[in-house]
């Protein structure tokens, strides 16, 4: 977990470009939908998800939780502005907090609507870990993993019907299950790798932030295992892969002031 001698000698302006290029970026997977349909489907799913958690009293409204959202938005924006997102300007990339201290999870819909459970934020130790998990979920959306998986699960005609508003019951079911999508090993590996690439682009966060989460989750084990691991399995090999990618990028060991992160945890 040390910077290479070559990386240390390069001017700062050239480090991100060179080290990111050293990591092979996977080819975008096949997706029958044009990007506009990712956006439309995501908007429908987000609307239904908001409605579901608001009815339960679990969706934290921005109007009454302004400071918490200010702090979370700061982390999200840093990760989004890393320079490596394909759909940075096309997707809305909003974030909502779900008040559930027993659920340690996060997910992103198609089109970049991000949901973070309070239980996950409270479980994490520092802002690097939060940025790493957010980078992972942002990668699922930006790499269009969700719609690729949904078109396999539901079929193209059903998804088109949901977008057109013809299948409201299907939309409810889809929204309820979006946070439980079980991505393939390929998708998870790709999202892990892009998390390191994104965090490297911030020039602020340590690239192995997601590994810190998985290390803590693996140690915890047992009945208290985070919900995140039910849909994001095999932490052992993933820790190794994330750390290897971060070492290749030369962006480990960045120290972040965690005062804002600790304040966010207190507010929740």
């Amino acid at each position: 977990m040390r910077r290479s001698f070559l990386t240390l000698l390069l001017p700062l302006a050239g480090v991100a470009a060179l080290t990111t290029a050293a990591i092979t970026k996977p080819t975008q997977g096949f997706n029958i939908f044009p990007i506009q349909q990712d956006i439309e489907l995501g908007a429908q799913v987000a609307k239904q998800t908001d409605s579901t958690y608001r009815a339960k009293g679990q969706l934290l409204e921005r109007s009454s939780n302004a400071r918490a959202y200010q702090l979370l938005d700061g982390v999200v924006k840093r990760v989004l502005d890393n320079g490596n997102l394909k759909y940075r300007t096309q997707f809305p990339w909003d974030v909502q907090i779900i008040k559930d201290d027993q659920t340690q999870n996060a997910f992103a819909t198609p089109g970049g609507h991000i949901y973070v459970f309070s239980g996950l934020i409270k479980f994490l130790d520092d802002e690097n870990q939060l940025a790493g998990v957010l980078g992972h979920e942002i990668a699922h959306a930006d790499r269009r993993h969700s719609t690729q998986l949904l078109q396999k699960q539901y079929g193209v005609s059903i998804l088109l019907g949901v977008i057109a508003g013809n299948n409201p019951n299907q939309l409810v079911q889809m929204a309820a299950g979006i946070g439980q999508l079980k991505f393939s090993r390929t998708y998870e590996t790709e999202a892990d790798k892009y998390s390191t690439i994104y965090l490297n682009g911030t020039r602020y966060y340590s690239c192995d932030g997601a590994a810190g989460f998985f290390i803590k989750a693996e140690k915890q084990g047992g009945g208290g295992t985070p919900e995140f691991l039910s849909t994001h399995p095999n932490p052992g090999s993933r820790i190794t892969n994330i750390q290897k990618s971060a070492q290749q990028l030369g962006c480990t060991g960045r120290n972040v002031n965690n005062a804002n992160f600790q304040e966010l945890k207190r507010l929740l």
Side-chain angles (χ1 to χ4, degrees), residues 1 189 192 196 208 210-212 214-215 218 234-248:
M1 299 179 68
T189 300
D192 286 344
T196 66
D208 54 356
F214 284 119
I215 290 169
E218 190 175 45
N234 306 316
S237 61
R238 296 176 66 183
I239 292 167
T240 301
N241 290 338
I242 291 168
Q243 291 176 334
K244 181 179 179 181
S245 178
Q247 288 170 356
Q248 290 174 331

Side-chain angles (χ1 to χ4, degrees), residues 51-96:
S51 177
T52 298
Y53 284 106
R54 184 173 286 121
K56 296 178 180 179
Q58 291 180 293
L59 188 71
L60 294 191
E61 304 292 351
R62 284 181 169 267
S63 58
S64 52
N65 298 275
R67 178 56 178 167
Y69 275 106
Q70 181 184 25
L71 295 168
L72 180 58
D73 286 344
V75 182
V76 172
K77 187 176 187 303
R78 280 196 188 98
V79 178
L80 289 173
D81 289 344
N82 71 83
N84 293 287
L85 266 70
K86 187 172 184 178
Y87 302 110
R88 176 65 179 98
T89 59
Q90 289 98 321
F91 290 174
W93 298 115
D94 56 5
V95 60
Q96 302 279 18

Side-chain angles (χ1 to χ4, degrees), residues 119-222:
L120 175 68
I121 296 174
K122 292 184 177 183
F123 174 79
L124 299 174
D125 290 328
D126 55 51
E127 194 169 310
N128 275 325
Q129 292 178 6
L130 176 59
V133 173
L134 288 171
H136 178 96
E137 293 306 320
I138 287 168
H140 277 315
D142 197 62
R143 302 301 294 170
R144 305 182 69 193
H145 293 162
S146 294
T147 46
Q148 291 176 54
L149 184 56
L150 289 171
Q151 71 187 21
K152 292 177 183 177
Q153 287 189 350
Y154 292 97
V156 174
S157 61
I158 289 179
L159 292 188
L160 290 175
V162 168
I163 292 169
N166 298 329
N167 293 313
N169 292 333
Q170 194 73 59
L171 174 61
V172 173
Q173 179 182 341
M174 192 178 300
I178 197 77
Q180 298 299 317
L181 287 178
K182 294 185 181 297
F183 293 108
S184 68
R185 183 183 298 271
T186 299
Y187 287 165
E188 293 294 0
T189 300
E190 185 175 335
D192 286 344
K193 177 168 284 190
Y194 269 86
S195 179
T196 66
I197 291 172
Y198 294 164
L199 267 59
N200 180 45
T202 68
R203 298 188 186 175
Y204 183 81
Y205 293 118
S206 183
C207 293
D208 54 356
F213 162 75
F214 284 119
I215 290 169
K216 181 173 183 178
E218 190 175 45
K219 287 180 179 178
Q220 180 166 309

